[in-house]
Amino acid sequence: MTDRQHSNIEDFHNYVLVTGANGGLGYAICCRMIDEFILTRPSSHSLRLIITTRDKTKSHDTVAKLKDHIFRTRKHHKVHEKSPLVPKIYLQSEQVDLCQLRSVQVLIQRLLRSLPKLDTVILNAGHGGFSGVDWPLVIWSILTNFHHALTYPTFKLGGVGDLTAPQVSDISSTEARSTQLGQVFCSNVFGHYLLVHGIVSLLSNSPATSGRIIWISSLEAYDSAFSIDDLQGLSSPSAYESSKRLTDILALSSRLPSTQPWVNGFLPPPSDHQPPKQYVAHPGICATNILPIHWILVYVMTAAFYVARWTGSPWHTVTSYKGACAPVWLALASQEELDAIEENGGVGKWGSAIDWQGEERAMRTEVQGWGVGGEVGDNVDLPKNSRPREAEDLNEDGKARFALIGRRCWQSMEKLRVDWEEILKEEDD
């Protein structure tokens, strides 16, 4: 078989990795991807869905639920399991603790041994680090600005200085803190960062897409929550929001000329085709269990989200399945379609949007300092209630500041990666 024939065959087999797939948005991404793949792909195609959870019990339960979902989807569309007219779905489960770098390294080696390529990696797993909510502020915010309060909340209470367990074992107690990382930062950003760097050769083997890296962000990626001098958010009560702002910055600035010396270290470009591309998406506002509140209040919160949707909010997807719209679209769209959109409208952040009737779609999202497509004066009419109250149109100063912060973030992340890889290598030696 020639290399070209082998490449054509591999084009028909899609390999997608989803982290944090045992519940919430991650599980919904898997379900929605299965549904859309079955309904839109010819019988000659197949999907291998590689899911990660933190332990074998969660992996076993998740695979069982996804198999049941596949069965129900085929039954709903009256498609027999062995029918030659539908694409095949395969499930592969892996375990990883993104807060433990050794665990990330073990997963990297397993993937390198077991997979020929990866077409898409969806970096969904994460940790909120929330301890509760400021109830007086909740009531005041909702009464004074209902939509803004439920779309861009500032009443969540987060821990300050929460750390992972020590990353190396042979240390004294006085050295323990120096071998720890910010828990939210490591779970949401740095663990994924090391994972992607380690499997870049698999992404580079994708002939159809050159590999896609889809970072999962949030509408709560506030510029005010992030400081370049506190990259891990250890001094901030908004470590979650800080990590999501960092996610936006890394993904959106990854193709700027000023960041390329460090981006090329993170994703060494292959010699024969384009390197993997980074995208960023968010699920809108979903009713998940990320906040530690009483189950009765979860129902109240969900009801409020529906009211927000019915009264004009484009972001209250409410269910995780509808929130999975944008990430799954980014994963399954043709490379030609994505490239054409970016050529006309620039690189942007994609969100799962919805109308009052519950029809979801992928929609551009404004990012402070970047705008909609990274260009001053980009003429995109955003729906009412889709912008934060304090949003300002992008100007040259804001764009320059974003590029500068992007350069510094990439520089800092690459230094951190190299330092930690050296620390772990020294312990092995």
Side-chain angles (χ1 to χ4, degrees):
M1 181 181 293
T2 67
D3 290 343
R4 181 57 187 167
Q5 289 172 321
H6 179 74
S7 176
N8 287 338
I9 291 175
E10 286 299 325
D11 283 352
F12 300 149
H13 302 295
N14 297 75
Y15 291 75
V16 179
L17 171 67
V18 181
T19 66
N22 56 288
L25 180 64
Y27 178 73
I29 286 172
C30 294
C31 290
R32 187 167 188 128
M33 185 166 299
I34 288 168
D35 294 348
E36 296 195 10
F37 199 88
I38 288 175
L39 294 176
T40 63
R41 293 300 193 269
S43 60
S44 57
H45 287 223
S46 69
L47 170 66
R48 179 169 292 275
L49 194 56
I50 304 102
I51 62 170
T52 76
T53 66
R54 293 186 64 179
D55 57 59
K56 290 185 177 180
T57 300
K58 290 181 179 178
S59 289
H60 180 271
D61 292 344
T62 304
V63 168
K65 289 192 299 181
L66 288 174
K67 285 182 177 179
D68 183 60
H69 179 81
I70 294 171
F71 173 79
R72 286 186 283 109
T73 298
R74 286 173 169 159
K75 183 178 180 181
H76 177 74
H77 294 286
K78 299 180 180 180
V79 176
H80 192 273
E81 180 180 1
K82 296 182 179 180
S83 170
L85 302 178
V86 295
K88 300 296 185 290
I89 308 293
Y90 304 97
L91 301 175
Q92 176 177 332
S93 63
E94 301 287 350
Q95 294 80 50
V96 65
D97 182 351
L98 290 166
C99 284
Q100 288 298 307
L101 305 187
R102 287 292 187 196
S103 178
V104 175
Q105 289 186 327
V106 170
L107 175 61
I108 289 170
Q109 294 306 312
R110 287 202 303 266
L111 294 176
L112 291 176
R113 289 194 300 267
S114 65
L115 300 177
K117 66 164 185 170
L118 273 170
D119 297 288
T120 303
V121 176
I122 301 180
L123 306 175
N124 163 76
H127 177 63
F130 299 117
S131 58
V133 296
D134 182 341
W135 286 111
L137 185 56
V138 170
I139 296 170
W140 172 257
S141 300
I142 291 177
L143 289 177
T144 56
N145 199 325
F146 179 76
H147 284 100
H148 191 273
L150 292 182
T151 310
Y152 307 101
T154 57
F155 44 71
K156 297 178 182 179
L157 301 177
V160 179
D162 292 341
L163 298 171
T164 66
Q167 300 292 334
V168 295
S169 56
D170 187 19
I171 56 172
S172 66
S173 59
T174 57
E175 296 174 309
R177 188 174 179 86
S178 65
T179 63
Q180 294 170 289
L181 290 159
Q183 186 180 48
V184 175
F185 165 78
C186 196
S187 176
N188 295 1
V189 184
F190 193 57
H192 283 134
Y193 191 91
L194 286 188
L195 173 62
V196 170
H197 175 75
I199 59 175
V200 64
S201 61
L202 294 177
L203 287 161
S204 297
N205 283 344
S206 173
T209 66
S210 298
R212 292 177 194 165
I213 302 158
I214 302 173
W215 293 88
I216 299 298
S217 183
S218 168
L219 282 168
E220 299 170 45
Y222 309 137
D223 179 55
S224 59
F226 177 75
S227 170
I228 187 60
D229 297 319
D230 184 22
L231 190 74
Q232 300 186 40
L234 290 173
S235 301
S236 171
S238 305
Y240 174 81
E241 294 86 347
S242 172
S243 72
K244 294 305 180 182
R245 175 63 176 178
L246 176 58
T247 296
D248 284 1
I249 293 171
L250 291 173
L252 294 174
S253 68
S254 63
R255 296 183 227 173
L256 295 178
S258 61
T259 64
Q260 293 315 293
W262 299 279
V263 175
N264 288 340
F266 173 56
L267 299 174
S271 58
D272 55 345
H273 56 274
Q274 292 292 318
K277 288 187 176 181
Q278 300 184 62
Y279 300 89
V280 61
H282 70 82
I285 305 295
C286 302
T288 66
N289 61 357
I290 194 171
L291 271 178
I293 58 177
H294 194 277
W295 65 269
I296 293 178
L297 295 175
V298 173
Y299 284 101
V300 175
M301 175 184 69
T302 303
F305 287 175
Y306 275 111
V307 172
R309 180 205 290 180
W310 295 333
T311 55
S313 169
W315 295 130
H316 284 81
T317 49
V318 185
T319 68
S320 296
Y321 188 87
K322 291 185 180 295
C325 172
V328 171
W329 173 74
L330 280 172
L332 296 182
S334 71
Q335 194 61 51
E336 291 78 11
E337 179 182 3
L338 295 180
D339 290 345
I341 291 173
E342 291 186 343
E343 183 177 353
N344 294 324
V347 176
K349 178 179 180 178
W350 290 95
S352 298
I354 199 163
D355 63 23
W356 71 274
Q357 295 176 306
E359 294 295 326
E360 65 269 34
R361 66 194 185 282
M363 188 175 80
R364 294 272 195 163
T365 306
E366 186 173 12
V367 175
Q368 189 170 353
W370 184 260
V372 176
E375 295 295 335
V376 175
D378 43 17
N379 296 317
V380 176
D381 293 326
L382 296 172
K384 184 180 179 182
N385 294 327
S386 70
R387 305 179 76 190
R389 182 173 49 194
E390 65 279 3
E392 297 179 354
D393 292 340
L394 180 62
N395 56 43
E396 292 292 349
D397 289 342
K399 181 180 177 181
R401 177 177 176 271
F402 191 95
L404 177 61
I405 293 176
R407 175 185 173 92
R408 292 185 62 187
C409 285
W410 274 104
Q411 186 177 16
S412 298
M413 289 293 290
E414 269 300 276
K415 182 179 186 305
L416 197 63
R417 176 186 67 80
V418 172
D419 288 348
W420 272 104
E421 288 181 345
E422 186 63 30
I423 290 170
L424 296 175
K425 182 179 179 182
E426 288 178 0
E427 187 187 36
D428 289 339
D429 296 340

